[in-house]
Amino acid sequence: PDYVVINKPPGILTNGPRSAETELRVLLGLPGLAAVHRLDRDTSGCLLFAKHHAALARAIGLFRERRVIKIYRALVLGTMRHAPRTVSIPIERRRAVTHLRVLDANRLASYVEARIETGRTHQLRRHLEAIGYPVLGDRAYEGGRVLPGELREVPRQMLHALRLVLPLPGAARPTNCVAPLPEDFRTWLSRLGLRPA
């Protein structure tokens, strides 16, 4: 009754003019609806909104206390072999922790799952670039690498917020929200010869 979770398509802002937030306010007739967290414009997947201020304050508390599990899928450049692994590289002098697991890999790219323990700006993108496996299509964090021909065609960062697990008030067990991979992500999995998981 207090929250809405959407599967945000790529190319849409979380909030601001012409955003997922403003569209949902109109669609649901809820002028007080607000995004609890953010996804980058080109990141797809699970995005949580609170229907009113009290619900927003409760959910922000859950995120602050790190009681929300956030799991992402990403396509990255290069053959990632050493996983599961944990990346603990501070971002803007603040603790930042990402847990990685390889789902499939070949000579060009890897399909990885990531669990974000902390919530720093662009954390997953920055951590993957820092360890030498930038997200495909991520123009901001490619690290100046020259990509093989086909990989230059990737139209957006291949990053998807697959799952949110939320211990919502009044629920007997945590609420598990899953957003299926979008079509463009599945297309690039296939083009790269990586197995969906």
Side-chain angles (χ1 to χ4, degrees), residues 7-97:
N7 183 1
K8 185 183 89 63
I12 296 177
L13 290 169
T14 295
N15 48 21
R18 295 185 299 278
S19 65
E21 184 180 75
T22 56
E23 288 188 30
L24 276 176
R25 283 175 178 168
V26 172
L27 182 68
L28 301 176
L30 294 170
L33 180 134
V36 176
H37 62 119
R38 289 179 178 82
L39 294 178
D40 297 330
R41 178 195 291 269
D42 285 339
T43 299
S44 54
C46 288
L47 184 57
L48 177 67
F49 295 86
K51 292 183 177 181
H52 52 82
H53 184 74
L56 178 64
R58 284 197 301 268
I60 287 173
L62 293 175
F63 275 83
R64 188 176 295 124
E65 295 162 11
R66 299 192 186 124
R67 294 176 59 201
V68 178
I69 297 171
K70 298 171 283 183
I71 296 175
Y72 291 76
R73 295 280 172 90
L75 297 176
V76 302
L77 179 66
T79 309
M80 188 184 290
R81 297 284 187 210
H82 307 292
R85 68 195 292 181
T86 296
V87 181
S88 300
I89 300 171
I91 293 175
E92 294 167 6
R93 299 182 183 176
R94 299 177 71 193
R95 179 175 177 268
V97 179

